[in-house]
Every structure is written in structure tokens, then in C-alpha cells.
Amino acid sequence: MTIQARMAHDRIRYLASTSLVIAAAIVSTVPAHAENAGDTPSSPIVVTGRGLEESPATPAYDVERIDRDQIVTSASGRIEDVLSSIAGFQQFRRSDSRSSNPSAQGVTLRALGGNASSRTLVLLDGVPVANPFFGYIPLSALTPDRLASIRVTRGGGAGAFGTGAVSGTIELTSAGPRDMGPLQALALVNDRGETQTSATLAPNLGAGFLVASVQWDRGQGFWTTPGSQRVDASSRAAYDSWSASLRGVAPLNDTVELQASAMAYDDRRTLRFKGADSTSSGQQASLRLVGRGDWQFDVLGYVQAQDFSNVVISSTRFVKALDQAKTPTTTVGGKFELRPPVGDAHVLRMGADIRLTQGRLLEMPYSTFTGARTAIRRAGGDQSDVGFYVEDDWTLGNLVLTAGGRADRWTIRNGFYREITPGGAVNEDTAFADRSGWTGNVRGGFVWHPSNTVSLRAAAYTGMRMPTLNELYRPFVVFPVVTQANAALKLEKLRGYEVGVDTRPFEALTLSLTAFDNKLKNAIANVTLSDDGNLRQRQNVDAIRARGLEASAALDLGQVQFDGSLSWTDSEVQASGIQADLDGMRPSQVPKLAASGTIAWLPKPGWRIAATVRHVGRQFEDDQQTQALPAFTTLDAYMKVPVMPLVSVVLRGENLTDETIITRDQAGSIDLGTPRTVWAGLRVGFR
């Protein structure tokens, strides 16, 4: 472990222990009801554990919400499965977080994919969770059982940490005792003998609460390699992951609350071959003050340490070809947002945020003939972003107008790539030039309610994303394809428009339709350079343009519920010069059509019987559209049946029709997604 990473670990342990002790002490000493000087009882202090309420103009943008009942009842129990119910959500690859390489877990919206870095900002209680070096999301650490709600906003963001939101923002909000009760536990086993267990303790303490949670998933995994391509070295996609979190929320007075959180996780996987092991681990801690008085404010500070390792096994000789020994990354950040009292018709948001990141890579290639280490490589750099934003919502009767802007000062510094031989001779030692600059982004729109049943909305926005340290400085190999880094990558810049209508023709039915046009300039893609397709480089193409429709429907008839979504997108690369062959092609890994629908039956209190059909259209593995990944349609199911006052039997089924899901096709070398999988177990819950 580097000195910097060790210091970050020490900071996290200190911050987590100190902040949670403070929160627990406050919780234990603040009474459930505050009294004034005359001993007249006042209203109870209500502690939410959440940020400030959304503004009136939030519906001007294309927003969807997922409530807790949907979050905790997916067939797989994985967060990516839950998010797949949102039209336009996709990962870089079709694999879930048990059977993919963690570095491929980039998420995006609006068909703006093309590489493994996330173009969507993912926040957990206001804290960005993406790995800053690679841009992937640690999906296995984001346990659905810990969440109260999810809000997905498509399109560029201009609020806090908005530089990462070129395709949208996914905001995860943690649950408290009011959402889950004081105790819950889950234990499941599937037909391959794999297990999923979790437990959460959430007591109310005084006027506040604590939430302690742990989850452990492990199993031998399924065969990702087709039977006809397996060799003696082939391996199931074994996985062993755990995550733990501790959160304390306490009032400081009747309008201000303190939120202190800490989380740690570790995820180990094997992909395709014996010894092809990867690890993803991290620790983070945060302190947050939320004020809901006349002068509302949200102050957040956090620190993170993440690491990644990966062993590459040769697909021809089945011995170690590369050991990515460690990739320690540390981040310190925070935000301050103020909402001054400017009248009932206005909600004014002003704020600033900062992120400081340092990432380093150590890897060692090996000869597949002798087994000897052939070199030692180090790469990395530092990045920073300081942003200032302001946004105003103005309510004029049935019309709400919104406009906002954001200015960012960004830096990319201390970039380097070094390679030496085992004997110490220098093969390459490159220090890359520092870069910095200012960028500005804006967004605005309106939502008009011509009647109680119809809302019309329109919005326009711009956005920006910095290239990750991985894209800038780290070459990689997925044999036989070599992908080169590019330290000269430009910032991605978004321009987008959208119009939509939301309607509730009767109380039980909600419908939504959005048309959008997004253009991502300087889009970073893995561009093929050689005729045989085995040499690629990360480059800025002129643009990725995505135009399409997103639709959703929700029906609630009490005992019968339905939720559905559909995304149809015409997405194409705009390229010129040496990239002209890509012009007009669809970006890699982007389907034209994706849809899902879930119907649920709730015959009695505590019961839930549901089925989900999901369809993903054809995608291309590469930028040249030479390797197509066929469309697939899956059927999932979920059943929860109470058998005792506090105990329910849970049955879950993934891909019940055993549809073949091809997640990678490199010149005929194929990886497969989740086959038919059936789970059974018990859920214990105290309400």
C-alpha cells in the first residue's frame, strides 16, 4: 500500500469512528420532543436522514423514481437489476456484478455508451461513489436492502458534482427505521449452492437513529464460457463479496440534523479462467449537516479510498500474462449548498463543490512461455475539480420556470507512465504535461400544469466530463486486443434538449413520454487502429449523437400493480479524418431498443407475487460493427409469502426461460450472461 493510500485509510478510520461516536452521543442526549423556555411542549423533532427536499422545478427534467418496495423485490437482489427497470439505463456490458470484471461496470443513460467509464453521476446520500481511476461503479457495495428510494434524472446536470452527469444522475437515498423497521435479515440459497445473506439493525435512539448493516454474497458462479469453448483451464465465474455500513443521524436542534456515515466493501471474482482473479475494495466516510430552517443548507464532506487488482490469464497458453497488482485511489471532497429565503415564488440554490483525486497503478506483465516477469509498470496522476453553481426556480401559478449555471475549474496534473525491466533498466519514463482550465455549463426549462391530470415540460442543458486517469494513462489487454491509453484526451462536452408530457388520466394510472436529442462532443471511445482489429486506442471522436423516445407507465389497482418502461434510441457516431470509417455507425455496446415490464399481485398484506419481462436489443461489441451481440428477452419472478408474524418465505427466479445472453464476442470467443437461476430462503423483519 502506498503512503498516500495508507494515510487515506487512517483518515477514514478516524473520521468514521469520531463522527459516529459524536452522532451516537448526540442521539442519546437529545430528547424526542424539544421544550421551550415556558415548558410548553413543541412539535416533535422529525429526523429524516436525507438531504434537502427537491425543488418545484425538478419535474421539468426527465425524472423517474423507484420506491423501496420495488428496490427490495428484484429477482437477483442486485442494484443493477433494480436500475434496469429505468428506460435507457445500461452498463458497459450485459454482465451483472457477479460475473463481470469490476472495471467494466460503467453505467450510462441515453445511449451515450461506448467505453467502460460511467457517463452517469451516481450518488449515495449525496456522495459520488464511482471509482475515480477507472470510472466504474462498485455495484456490489450498493445493497438494495439499505435503500429507501432511487431518483434518476436523465440529461446533463448543473448542480452539485455536476461534472460527472453528462447523461444523467442516479441518486440513492439510504433507509432508516421508518422505512425498514428496527431489524431485518435475509438468507437465500440458489440451485447452484450460492448464498446471499444480509442483516440490518436500525434502532431509534432518542430523537435520532443508527443503522448498521452487513451483506455477504458468495458462490461458485456459472459457466460464462460456452461448453464448446471450455478447456481444462476454464473456470466458473466464482464470486465472494461483502459490504458493511454504519450510519448515525441525530438532530442538533429543531431544524438542523447531523448525518455521519461509513462504508467498507470487498469484492473478489474469477472470470473465464482459473487464476483470472480480480478484486475491488474500498472504504469511505462522510459527515453531513442539513438545515431546514428559513436559511436552508446542505454541507457535506467525505473521504474515500479504493483499490482494484486483476490477473489476466492468456487465452492461448492459460498462464498468467499480466498482474495488475494494485490501483490505490484516494479522494477527498465536499459541497456546500445554500437556499436563502427569497419569497414563496422562488427557490434559489447556490453552492460549491470540490473533488481532489489521486490514483496510481502498479502492474507487471509476464512471459507466457517462461513464466518470468518481463517488466514493472507504474502509471497515474492527480485530478481536481472545483465547481460553483446557482439555480433558481420561479413558480407562476401553474407554470414553473427554472434556470441555472455552473462554472468549473479543473486540473489534470502529475500524469506519468514508467516501465522498467526486472533488472532496473528503463524502457519508458514519460511525464505528461499538466493541464487545467475553466468550463461553464447551463441548464433551464419549465413544467406547466394545464390541468390536474397533465404536465408539459421542456428542458435544455449542457454538461462536461473529464477523462479518467485510466483513459489517460493506462493501456490494457483483453487478449488478443490491445487498447492504448491517450494522455491528450479532451474533455467530453454535452448539449441536449428534451420535451415531455406526464399524465394521470385517472388516479391509478400514470403515463410519461419524453423525446430527446443529445450530442456528446469529443466523446471518448475505443477506436480500432489495425486491420485485424487487435489494436485500439482511446480517442475523442467528433461526437456521439443520440435521439430517441423514453416512455413509462405505472398502474396501481391496489392488489394489482404494473410498472413498465421503454427506450428507443437512434444513436450514431459522428467522425471525420482518420476516424471517418466510424461516421454513422452505432456506438459499441449500445442497443437501439430496451424495454421492461413488471406486474405484481398483492393478494394479502405482506404478500407479493411478481413477474418481470425484460428485452434488450442487438448491440455491437466493437466500434467497427463487425461483432454483433444478439437481442435477448428474459423472464424473472419474485414471490414473498408470510409464514409467521415476522417471517416470510422468499422465492426468486432469474432468466427462467434460460435465454442465452451473449455478453462478449471477440472474434468468436464468447462470454455468457446469467443462466436460469432459482433462489429460495427466508426474510425476517420487525416493523
Side-chain angles (χ1 to χ4, degrees), residues 170-500:
I170 298 174
E171 298 170 86
L172 311 176
T173 300
S174 293
R178 289 188 299 171
D179 305 300
M180 65 176 69
L183 175 66
Q184 66 169 356
L186 177 69
L188 294 164
V189 62
N190 70 17
D191 52 347
R192 293 188 294 271
E194 298 156 7
T195 57
Q196 182 180 101
T197 56
S198 65
T200 301
L201 182 66
N204 287 299
L205 298 176
F209 62 82
L210 290 174
V211 179
S213 179
V214 62
Q215 176 157 321
W216 183 26
D217 300 339
R218 67 188 304 269
Q220 63 176 338
F222 56 86
W223 291 104
T224 59
T225 306
S228 61
Q229 296 184 2
R230 291 176 203 159
V231 295
D232 290 342
S234 295
S235 173
R236 293 174 177 266
Y239 61 97
D240 190 340
S241 65
W242 64 264
S243 66
S245 67
L246 186 61
R247 191 163 184 257
V249 179
L252 300 184
N253 56 41
D254 58 352
T255 62
V256 180
E257 68 180 54
L258 171 68
Q259 304 169 13
S261 300
M263 181 175 71
Y265 63 90
D266 186 78
D267 186 343
R268 300 174 183 273
R269 308 180 197 174
T270 299
L271 183 62
R272 299 188 70 208
F273 300 116
K274 298 172 184 176
D277 302 325
S278 65
T279 68
S280 173
S281 62
Q283 306 83 33
Q284 71 177 44
S286 66
L287 279 175
R288 189 181 195 183
L289 281 174
V290 179
R292 295 184 171 85
D294 292 336
W295 288 79
Q296 298 185 28
F297 59 85
D298 188 345
V299 183
L300 170 72
Y302 69 91
V303 58
Q304 293 172 330
Q306 299 188 48
D307 201 357
F308 170 82
S309 70
N310 184 55
V311 175
V312 178
I313 299 296
S314 166
S315 61
T316 55
R317 301 185 63 85
F318 312 114
V319 295
K320 181 163 62 176
L322 178 68
D323 182 2
Q324 295 171 251
K326 54 185 177 180
T327 318
T329 307
T330 60
T331 303
V332 177
K335 74 166 185 176
F336 172 75
E337 179 173 309
L338 180 66
R339 299 185 185 182
V342 290
D344 294 339
H346 288 271
V347 175
L348 178 63
R349 302 169 56 210
M350 302 181 295
D353 57 71
I354 183 171
R355 277 190 284 186
L356 307 174
T357 297
Q358 180 185 80
R360 300 291 184 263
L361 165 73
L362 169 64
E363 67 178 24
M364 295 158 286
Y366 285 79
S367 168
T368 58
F369 293 94
T370 66
R373 186 172 63 188
T374 59
I376 300 172
R377 300 169 181 162
R378 299 180 186 273
D382 303 334
Q383 292 182 319
S384 70
D385 182 85
V386 180
F388 305 90
Y389 61 93
V390 60
E391 191 162 50
D392 182 53
D393 298 347
W394 187 13
T395 302
L396 299 168
N398 293 331
L399 177 66
V400 182
L401 303 174
T402 182
R406 179 180 173 92
D408 285 272
R409 173 65 177 178
W410 57 271
T411 69
I412 300 173
R413 300 177 297 110
N414 303 324
F416 70 94
Y417 179 85
R418 300 188 187 112
E419 180 177 295
I420 63 174
T421 67
V426 177
N427 291 336
E428 181 177 348
D429 189 355
T430 303
F432 301 102
D434 293 348
R435 291 188 283 161
S436 63
W438 282 93
T439 61
N441 291 292
V442 297
R443 72 173 181 176
F446 71 84
V447 56
W448 177 44
H449 308 282
S451 71
N452 292 331
T453 60
V454 176
S455 297
L456 303 177
R457 51 186 164 79
Y461 37 78
T462 64
M464 177 271 279
R465 181 183 79 91
M466 278 195 293
T468 64
L469 297 173
N470 178 54
E471 292 167 326
L472 290 165
Y473 306 128
R474 173 189 165 262
F476 71 96
V477 179
V478 179
F479 190 84
V481 179
V482 176
T483 302
Q484 299 175 338
N486 186 350
L489 288 171
K490 302 175 184 177
L491 278 62
E492 295 182 338
K493 296 187 177 182
L494 174 78
R495 177 237 63 197
Y497 313 95
E498 62 187 55
V499 294

Side-chain angles (χ1 to χ4, degrees), residues 466-584:
M466 278 195 293
T468 64
L469 297 173
N470 178 54
E471 292 167 326
L472 290 165
Y473 306 128
R474 173 189 165 262
F476 71 96
V477 179
V478 179
F479 190 84
V481 179
V482 176
T483 302
Q484 299 175 338
N486 186 350
L489 288 171
K490 302 175 184 177
L491 278 62
E492 295 182 338
K493 296 187 177 182
L494 174 78
R495 177 237 63 197
Y497 313 95
E498 62 187 55
V499 294
V501 57
D502 304 303
T503 180
R504 180 172 258 181
F506 54 91
E507 185 66 23
L509 178 63
T510 302
L511 303 172
S512 178
L513 179 66
T514 302
F516 66 90
D517 185 335
N518 283 189
K519 185 175 184 178
L520 186 66
K521 298 180 180 180
N522 301 325
I524 299 171
N526 296 334
V527 176
T528 300
L529 302 179
S530 62
D531 292 337
D532 62 4
N534 290 338
L535 179 62
R536 300 175 185 171
Q537 185 186 41
R538 299 183 182 94
Q539 294 185 1
N540 295 105
V541 299
D542 292 347
I544 293 176
R545 186 170 187 182
R547 292 170 287 188
L549 297 172
E550 294 162 341
S552 64
L555 179 66
D556 188 348
L557 299 175
Q559 290 189 343
V560 177
Q561 299 174 349
F562 173 79
D563 288 280
S565 69
L566 180 145
S567 174
W568 177 87
T569 308
D570 180 16
S571 183
E572 68 175 23
V573 175
Q574 297 180 349
S576 58
I578 63 172
Q579 303 167 351
D581 289 345
L582 303 180
D583 192 56

